[in-house]
């Protein structure tokens, strides 16, 4: 048997499910993008603030002495044990640790490469000793020159540095005793730190996507219950009425439009009942008239009956009104008499049968 179409609930699910998935994916992607931008902006602000604060905290006299020691290649271990180095690097180490930065240092342009490191808060294998040099990317090198020239703050995008990997860098000016910019304070964060924050953002985005999916599914379920089910019930009522059951639709909770449609369907059922009753009455009346005409054609008109008045001795003729059974009996007897007239043997047999029957009845009456 061919199905009568897709159920409205399945149709709504098919319609809303792609929209729900697209909506969840869009919300997740938008949330992730916004969170990622927010994370990068937060790291940029942190790096700029930290580098500027570090440049302001460094003692100018100590730093000028350390710059000269770095430029003349003084023994690094001996210089780093001096008070001028330690009283400036120890606060930097605390700042780097508490803020979760990868590198925090001071540097000066020059040397055989791009920069010479002066102060470095990093410990272990990644520690850059005083006087060590490093080569920078062209963009970072240009940013440091601009910072050392006009004192503007520099913030780099995430870029790859051959020795340190993927970094995001900020730089602020460091001044000498006369207020002249002689170096820069740098703050770096490794991409791994950003990736951790990004993964957390991705988790948040996924949770938001799941939450939006659940919320959309709940809304769809409510729509199905409030709209689809009443429509399905109304469809069943319409099919029931079309099949011949003219009872009005049952009252159920439904939206206003569905309620109006149910009222219209009830009115239609009432009209159909009235039309059927009228058509049935008309059909019965027409059948009676047709049967009467057929009987008149077959039986002929009623035979007249003579009524005799005893007082007036008058003969009155009127049409017999004996009913259908009498007319049928009269017609049958007439045809039987005509047949007896045509068949003498049949008439004789009928007469003998009648005599025998009447004789038996007479004997039973005497007994």
């Amino acid at each position: 048997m061919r199905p009568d179409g897709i159920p409205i609930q399945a149709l709504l699910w098919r319609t809303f499910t792609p929209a729900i998935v697209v909506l969840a994916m869009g919300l997740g992607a938008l949330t992730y993008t916004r969170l990622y931008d927010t994370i990068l902006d937060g790291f940029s602000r942190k790096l700029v603030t930290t580098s500027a604060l570090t440049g302001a905290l460094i003692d100018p006299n100590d730093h000028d002495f350390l710059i000269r020691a770095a430029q003349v290649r003084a023994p690094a271990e001996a210089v780093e044990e001096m008070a001028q180095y330690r009283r400036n690097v120890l606060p930097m180490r605390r700042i780097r640790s508490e803020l979760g930065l990868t590198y925090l240092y001071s540097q000066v342009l020059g040397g055989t490469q791009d920069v010479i490191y002066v102060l470095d808060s990093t410990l272990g294998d990644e520690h850059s000793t005083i006087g060590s040099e490093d080569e920078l990317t062209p963009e970072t090198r240009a940013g440091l020159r601009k910072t050392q020239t006009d004192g503007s703050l520099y913030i780099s995008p995430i870029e790859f540095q051959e020795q340190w990997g993927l970094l995001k860098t900020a730089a602020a000016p460091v001044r000498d005793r006369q207020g002249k910019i002689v170096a820069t304070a740098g703050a770096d964060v490794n991409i791994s730190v950003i990736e951790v924050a990004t993964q957390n953002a991705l988790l948040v985005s996924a949770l938001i996507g799941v939450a939006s999916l659940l919320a959309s599914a709940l809304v769809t379920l409510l729509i199905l219950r409030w709209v689809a089910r009443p429509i399905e019930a109304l469809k069943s009522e319409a099919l029931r009425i079309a099949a011949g059951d003219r009872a009005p639709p049952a009252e159920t909770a439904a939206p206003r439009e569905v309620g109006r449609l149910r009222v219209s369907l009830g009115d239609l059922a009432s009209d159909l009942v009235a039309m059927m009753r009228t058509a049935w009455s008309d059909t019965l009346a027409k059948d009676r008239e047709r049967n009467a005409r057929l009987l008149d054609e077959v039986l002929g008109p009623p035979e007249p009956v003579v009524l005799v008045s005893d007082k007036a001795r008058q003969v009155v003729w009127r049409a017999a009104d004996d009913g259908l059974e009498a007319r049928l009996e009269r017609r049958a007897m007439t045809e039987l008499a005509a047949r007896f007239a045509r068949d003498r043997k049949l008439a004789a047999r009928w007469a003998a049968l009648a005599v025998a029957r009447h004789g038996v009845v007479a004997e039973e009456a005497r007994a």
Side-chain angles (χ1 to χ4, degrees):
M1 182 177 180
R2 186 178 179 180
D4 58 350
I6 302 174
I8 188 169
Q9 296 190 23
L11 182 61
L12 285 176
W13 275 117
R14 292 183 183 181
T15 303
F16 279 100
T17 300
I20 292 172
V21 174
V22 172
L23 176 63
M25 293 177 62
L27 286 176
L30 179 62
T31 303
Y32 176 77
T33 302
R34 293 293 180 87
L35 287 176
Y36 184 77
D37 294 339
T38 303
I39 289 170
L40 287 182
D41 184 66
F43 275 106
S44 298
R45 292 174 183 272
K46 180 189 292 187
L47 293 174
V48 169
T49 303
T50 304
S51 61
L53 180 62
T54 302
L57 291 177
I58 293 176
D59 184 87
N61 294 325
D62 293 342
H63 202 260
D64 289 344
F65 169 78
L66 295 174
I67 290 175
R68 289 192 298 271
Q71 290 173 344
V72 299
R73 302 295 190 275
E77 294 182 359
V79 175
E80 291 182 0
E81 292 297 328
M82 291 181 178
Q84 291 91 335
Y85 189 92
R86 295 185 61 80
R87 63 173 167 250
N88 286 281
V89 79
L90 290 178
M92 293 172 61
R93 289 174 181 173
R94 289 196 298 270
I95 293 173
R96 182 184 63 82
S97 176
E98 292 179 4
L99 295 181
L101 302 179
T102 307
Y103 306 113
L104 186 59
Y105 52 88
S106 68
Q107 58 194 356
V108 61
L109 293 173
T112 59
Q113 297 188 26
D114 293 327
V115 293
I116 302 172
Y117 289 111
V118 182
L119 294 168
D120 184 19
S121 63
T122 309
L123 299 174
D125 296 336
E126 293 186 342
H127 175 71
S128 298
T129 58
I130 185 170
S132 60
E133 298 183 2
D134 193 10
E135 186 176 355
L136 306 176
T137 62
E139 185 175 357
T140 301
R141 185 168 56 248
L144 293 180
R145 285 200 181 99
K146 189 174 187 303
T147 299
Q148 197 162 334
T149 300
D150 57 15
S152 60
L153 299 176
Y154 168 72
I155 181 70
S156 75
I158 297 176
E159 57 185 4
F160 178 77
Q161 296 187 17
E162 186 175 354
Q163 184 176 356
W164 312 109
L166 289 172
L167 295 176
K168 187 173 182 61
T169 302
V174 177
R175 302 178 184 273
D176 60 9
R177 286 176 294 180
Q178 287 76 31
K180 181 182 177 181
I181 301 175
V182 294
T184 57
D188 299 348
V189 63
N190 192 278
I191 189 61
S192 60
V193 178
I194 299 177
E195 285 180 347
V196 171
T198 304
Q199 290 173 0
N200 294 333
L202 183 60
L203 178 61
V204 173
S205 302
L207 292 177
I208 291 176
V210 172
S212 62
L213 276 175
L214 293 177
S216 301
L218 179 61
V219 171
T220 304
L221 181 60
L222 292 177
I223 292 175
L224 288 176
R225 289 185 175 181
W226 182 242
V227 178
R229 290 185 178 180
I231 292 178
E232 286 285 353
L234 195 60
K235 176 184 175 182
S236 301
E237 296 288 346
L239 293 175
R240 178 181 58 78
I241 293 174
D245 187 355
R246 300 297 187 264
E251 292 288 338
T252 57
R256 180 171 55 188
E257 290 76 8
V258 178
R260 291 177 179 174
L261 186 59
R262 182 174 57 240
V263 172
S264 301
L265 187 60
D267 295 339
L268 178 61
S270 301
D271 294 341
L272 287 175
V273 171
M275 293 173 61
M276 288 182 61
R277 290 176 178 173
T278 302
W280 180 253
S281 300
D282 295 342
T283 301
L284 289 179
K286 292 179 180 179
D287 288 344
R288 292 192 187 97
E289 293 178 358
R290 182 186 60 192
N291 293 336
R293 288 196 302 270
L294 292 175
L295 288 174
D296 289 339
E297 292 175 0
V298 173
L299 302 178
E303 296 181 0
V305 178
V306 180
L307 299 179
V308 179
S309 174
D310 294 336
K311 295 181 179 180
R313 299 294 179 179
Q314 294 179 354
V315 177
V316 179
W317 295 81
R318 70 172 180 82
D321 190 10
D322 298 332
L324 178 61
E325 293 181 358
R327 296 176 64 186
L328 289 174
E329 182 180 1
R330 190 179 305 111
R331 176 59 181 267
M333 295 305 293
T334 302
E335 292 182 356
L336 184 60
R339 186 172 179 182
F340 286 163
R342 291 192 301 270
D343 192 347
R344 297 295 181 182
K345 294 182 179 181
L346 179 62
R349 293 177 61 187
W350 176 263
L353 180 62
V355 170
R357 181 175 181 274
H358 288 301
V360 171
V361 171
E363 291 178 359
E364 289 178 354
R366 286 195 299 272

